[in-house]
Amino acid sequence: MIEIELDGKKIDVQEGCMIMHAAEKAGTYIPHFCYHKKLSIAANCRMCLVDVEKAPKPMPACATPVTQGMIVRTKSERAIKAQQSVMEFLLINHPLDCPICDQGGECQLQDLAVGYGGTTSRYEEEKRVVNPKDVGPLVSMQEMSRCIQCTRCVRFGQEVAGIMELGMSHRGEHAQIETFVGQSVDSELSGNMIDICPVGALTSKPFRYSARTWELSRRKSVSPHDATGANLVVQVKNNKVMRVVPLENEDVNECWIADRDRFSYEALDSADRLTKPMLKQGGEWKEVDWQTALEYVANGLQGVKAQHGPQAIGTLASPHSTAEELYLAAALTRGLGSQNIDTRLRAADFQHDGKARWLGTSVASLTTLQRVLVVGSNIRKDQPLLAQRLRQAVRNGGKVNALNAQAYDWAMPVANTLVADAANWVQALADIAAAVGAITGAAAPVAGNANSAEAQAIAKSLTGGERKAILLGNAAAHHAKASSLLSLANWIGAQTGATVGYLGEAANTVGAQVVGALPKAGGQNAGQMLAGGLKAVVLLNTEPAFDAANGAAAAQAIGQAEMVVTLSPFKANMDISDVLLPISPFTETAGTFINTEGRAQSFHGVVKPLGEARPAWKVLRVLGSMLHVPGFEFETIEEVRAQAIPADVQALLSNACTAQVDVSPAAGQPASAAIYQLDSLVRRAPSLQLTADAKQPAVAAQSQGGL
């Protein structure tokens, strides 16, 4: 630590840090544009010029390291004059379009111009004009004349997203930010460029011209998509969600969110929303009141129970539902005498010991890992924010290894990739285990080829370093021999000192296990229920045609039941359902998501339910009361939460597995949803469906069909 003087105050700061960091520690604000705490230092804008004693000229605070005894003045006449001069230069070519700019009200240039800008400009020449650019459905570059060349967006692409989609071309007055020869911006994190742009050069295309920032109410929430549990600020106007931006949480999502977290809100007001209960009568759908619909469901379930027994009733729920909803769905099913409750619609191996499978470490610790093995995951698309953490680890010297069916582009250097058909993943992991055993001297749990070059390279990597992790992805979790993969991963982890865990597919993959939304003894798992045979099926927030491993066959099998009840925010499963109950999406209900590290995060509804939609927990509570199920006397969501979620969630987390390893080839391919097909919200978000990522599955399907 060294001592410096900042505006007359003596402070102790870390040697080698910049004046900007010292000022942040002291609580002193220095105006800036190009500096961002999560990006490298560029020192482009010069707005942060400060007066350093004995320096011949003002120095940029973001790029000037502190020295022992340094005296810095941020508000001296010299510093202020320098900052005012920089502001004058920045405003020379800037268009005077604040009244129509989407950034108005949250624009750094606007704010600092008030403090450091002049009342008039000395510039009388013609202002430069930059041609607008179309770079895709999410980010608007229509007003690039506003750009001040801070290069935040360029550095974000290089350093965080891992792909340099934007760059600066030309020099001087002709410099401009653009893509390479008409390419689009396709990163799954591209929306963050909008947030970090300090002016209105990059704006949100879906949000464009829809509201002014000062008209919006800001409410905290949690992402309902992947298992990261990203914290959100949902911005609302007239009881309508207008925009979603990140809420900073260093332990979870830092200050970033994925594009599906940001833009899925478009689905909330889609024409597909279900706003009234509906019954199918004579093959036609009719809107009815809640009393009629609920009585129909209650009488139907009681009739099936009386005629076929309770085991003929089953519930399939989405792991994107809240913990409270999943708890009540499980309690309702068991209250009817059935153990048929499951959320693992894409799984093929249903062995479970009662403990919740989780990440095995904290989300924040991924940034510090030195050695990683990812098994069965396209992590960049499955968990964009976790991939971003691994990207930081690689930038800090970490090595990432992969076992997959193909070599994916993760926008980061991958040290070693073992490519094997999914049917042979257990054998491939056994080869790695054998290679690890050859290094450590331990006897491998099953026979493997320790001489495989790829296996040896991965084993050598895993036995080096200190902080390590083996991460099983969605495809590994849904593999026909998922238990064998986990057993082998645990053995390798024990030999190398690596933690073992699942990346997690959905917002409540862990939460569903914690609250017991899994079949107990005598109950059917999701695979058995989706094969058909049930007489009554309750579908909570799920669409078997899209969410099940074999969607078409699953939907057909479910459709054979005497009664199918769908609880959904959307007009879903209309071809197989007998009754549709409109429930609230995450923005219209309170609830809790437990992310992949076991962090329980509760949130409130940010708008009123649309039409006659009701929170699912209330619908399930009423159904439980009508069916005379004991323990459904809840008045508030807090009462349900207290009952559903134990005080110590961590005690229920474990990746231990005693399953015998079976290296024989597995049948079938593991099911894994594309990035914008994961849940009902992203599937109905128009802008997300226009992206390159959304179009890829269709292109792949066409190529497989021989077109």
Side-chain angles (χ1 to χ4, degrees):
M1 301 291 283
I2 60 175
E3 186 181 77
I4 69 167
E5 184 181 307
L6 184 75
D7 292 338
K9 298 179 187 174
K10 294 197 184 296
I11 55 171
D12 293 323
V13 294
Q14 196 73 38
E15 188 175 0
C17 78
M18 303 299 162
I19 294 174
M20 183 72 81
H21 303 140
E24 286 177 349
K25 184 182 177 181
T28 300
Y29 177 73
I30 298 175
H32 60 271
F33 293 112
C34 69
Y35 169 78
H36 190 280
K37 63 182 179 182
K38 293 291 182 180
L39 303 176
S40 61
I41 291 167
N44 287 343
C45 71
R46 284 324 207 228
M47 192 65 209
C48 63
L49 291 174
V50 293
D51 183 10
V52 178
E53 193 167 279
K54 297 181 181 178
K57 58 183 181 181
M59 305 294 288
C62 68
T64 305
V66 296
T67 57
Q68 178 63 40
M70 177 183 273
I71 299 173
V72 181
R73 302 180 183 91
T74 66
K75 295 179 177 63
S76 67
E77 184 181 351
R78 190 184 186 202
I80 297 292
K81 193 173 179 180
Q83 291 162 358
Q84 287 174 338
S85 298
V86 170
M87 179 58 71
E88 184 178 16
F89 276 115
L90 286 176
L91 294 177
I92 274 177
N93 272 314
H94 200 81
L96 300 177
D97 62 349
C98 292
I100 61 124
C101 180
D102 259 7
Q103 196 85 352
E106 52 187 18
C107 174
Q108 282 181 252
L109 185 66
Q110 197 177 50
D111 295 341
L112 293 180
V114 173
Y116 300 90
T119 53
T120 58
S121 175
R122 291 182 285 172
Y123 185 79
E124 295 178 352
E125 289 76 19
E126 189 174 329
K127 293 198 174 192
R128 75 168 190 159
V129 175
V130 179
N131 292 329
K133 303 168 182 67
D134 186 2
V135 294
L138 305 179
V139 180
S140 173
M141 294 181 74
Q142 289 299 299
E143 284 91 13
M144 289 305 291
S145 297
R146 299 171 184 162
C147 179
I148 60 171
Q149 285 84 42
C150 71
T151 68
R152 277 188 180 184
C153 56
V154 178
R155 284 175 284 144
F156 170 83
Q158 288 177 295
E159 298 164 16
V160 180
I163 175 169
M164 186 177 173
E165 295 180 299
L166 295 178
M168 184 182 287
S169 63
H170 311 298
R171 300 181 68 183
E173 186 178 70
H174 304 290
Q176 54 180 291
I177 303 292
E178 58 186 346
T179 59
F180 179 76
V181 197
Q183 295 289 311
S184 56
V185 173
D186 299 321
S187 167
E188 62 285 349
L189 299 170
S190 64
N192 293 293
M193 295 180 184
I194 300 164
D195 294 334
I196 62 173
C197 180
V199 298
L202 302 178
T203 52
S204 169
K205 195 172 274 189
F207 175 70
R208 190 173 162 83
Y209 297 145
S210 58
R212 310 298 303 195
T213 61
W214 54 83
E215 300 174 312
L216 303 174
S217 303
R218 290 159 172 80
R219 292 153 192 180
K220 297 177 183 178
S221 192
V222 179
S223 168
H225 304 301
D226 62 44
T228 309
N231 291 199
L232 312 175
V233 174
V234 182
Q235 302 184 350
V236 176
K237 179 185 177 184
N238 296 334
N239 203 49
K240 182 180 176 181
V241 175
M242 304 300 292
R243 187 167 64 163
V244 176
V245 294
L247 174 65
E248 188 170 345
N249 186 335
E250 203 61 31
D251 293 331
V252 182
N253 56 300
E254 300 177 89
C255 55
W256 317 119
I257 54 174
D259 286 351
R260 62 182 170 200
D261 303 327
R262 185 183 301 273
F263 297 109
S264 65
Y265 73 89
E266 285 187 294
L268 298 171
D269 294 296
S270 74
D272 212 19
R273 276 296 301 268
L274 180 65
T275 57
K276 290 185 176 179
M278 298 179 79
L279 282 178
K280 189 183 284 182
Q281 298 175 336
E284 292 187 7
W285 284 101
K286 303 284 180 70
E287 291 183 347
V288 296
D289 59 70
W290 267 105
Q291 187 68 23
T292 303
L294 290 170
E295 285 179 357
Y296 178 90
V297 174
N299 293 334
L301 291 174
Q302 284 175 327
V304 169
K305 181 181 177 181
Q307 189 174 353
H308 303 285
Q311 285 305 314
I313 301 170
T315 300
L316 291 165
S318 167
H320 299 276
S321 306
T322 67
E324 293 84 352
E325 293 165 0
L326 293 170
Y327 170 79
L328 289 174
L332 178 64
T333 308
R334 294 191 174 107
L336 290 168
S338 172
Q339 291 292 341
N340 305 335
I341 168 77
D342 210 343
T343 61
R344 300 165 294 175
L345 276 73
R346 294 190 180 99
D349 181 352
F350 295 94
Q351 295 185 55
H352 201 272
D353 62 358
K355 295 282 190 177
R357 308 282 194 234
W358 68 301
L359 187 63
T361 183
S362 66
V363 167
S365 70
L366 297 182
T367 309
T368 66
L369 291 175
Q370 295 172 325
R371 298 290 187 272
V372 184
L373 172 60
V374 178
V375 180
S377 172
N378 182 7
I379 188 171
R380 178 182 167 190
K381 303 300 180 183
D382 293 344
Q383 289 90 8
L385 293 173
L386 300 186
Q388 184 272 130
R389 293 241 182 216
L390 289 189
R391 208 169 285 127
Q392 291 184 48
V394 171
R395 285 175 59 84
N396 293 329
K399 303 289 183 187
V400 171
N401 307 278
L403 167 57
N404 269 317
Q406 65 182 87
Y408 296 105
D409 177 12
W410 288 348
M412 67 177 108
V414 177
N416 304 286
T417 301
L418 203 169
V419 177
D421 187 86
N424 302 317
W425 280 356
V426 179
Q427 183 61 65
L429 199 57
D431 293 347
I432 296 172
V436 168
I439 295 172
T440 62
V446 290
N449 180 14
N451 297 320
S452 164
E454 294 91 347
Q456 284 183 337
I458 294 173
K460 186 178 178 182
S461 176
L462 286 175
T463 51
E466 296 178 356
R467 297 178 297 277
K468 314 169 212 183
I470 300 171
L471 304 173
L472 303 171
N474 296 349
H478 302 155
H479 196 271
K481 296 186 176 179
S483 298
S484 292
L485 290 172
L486 179 58
S487 289
L488 277 171
N490 280 329
W491 187 89
I492 297 170
Q495 294 300 314
T496 60
T499 61
V500 177
Y502 285 98
L503 292 168
E505 181 183 42
N508 244 347
T509 298
V510 174
Q513 301 171 77
V514 168
V515 302
L518 297 173
K520 292 184 179 178
Q524 294 185 32
N525 58 48
Q528 293 166 325
M529 286 190 271
L530 290 167
L534 294 176
K535 300 299 181 182
V537 183
V538 178
L539 299 173
L540 174 60
N541 211 16
T542 189
E543 300 170 80
F546 300 100
D547 296 331
N550 188 349
Q556 188 177 4
I558 294 292
Q560 301 302 313
E562 292 178 10
M563 186 175 78
V564 178
V565 182
T566 292
L567 289 81
S568 173
F570 303 100
K571 295 174 181 175
N573 308 323
M574 297 189 76
D575 53 337
I576 61 173
S577 298
D578 298 290
V579 57
L580 300 179
L581 301 179
I583 61 171
S584 303
F586 80 106
T587 53
E588 300 168 14
T589 182
T592 304
F593 292 135
I594 302 177
N595 76 350
T596 187
E597 68 176 2
R599 180 187 296 265
Q601 300 183 110
S602 299
F603 56 92
H604 296 285
V606 300
V607 293
K608 295 177 182 174
L610 188 66
E612 292 183 23
R614 295 292 180 266
W617 74 269
K618 289 187 176 182
V619 177
L620 292 165
R621 180 197 63 185
V622 173
L623 273 175
S625 300
M626 293 174 74
L627 290 162
H628 309 294
V629 177
F632 272 70
E633 299 78 23
F634 301 107
E635 294 294 330
T636 64
I637 188 76
E638 286 76 19
E639 291 177 17
V640 183
R641 187 176 300 141
Q643 190 73 27
I645 303 173
D648 186 11
V649 171
Q650 294 295 321
L652 296 177
L653 306 179
S654 173
N655 294 318
C657 183
T658 56
Q660 292 294 313
V661 178
D662 180 4
V663 296
S664 61
Q669 294 294 313
S672 192
I675 183 170
Y676 298 135
Q677 291 295 322
L678 182 65
D679 57 74
S680 57
L681 278 173
V682 296
R683 287 196 286 264
R684 291 172 172 86
S687 296
L688 291 178
Q689 294 306 318
L690 293 172
T691 60
D693 278 329
K695 294 172 183 176
Q696 278 180 353
V699 172
Q702 288 178 357
S703 63
Q704 289 169 6
L707 297 178

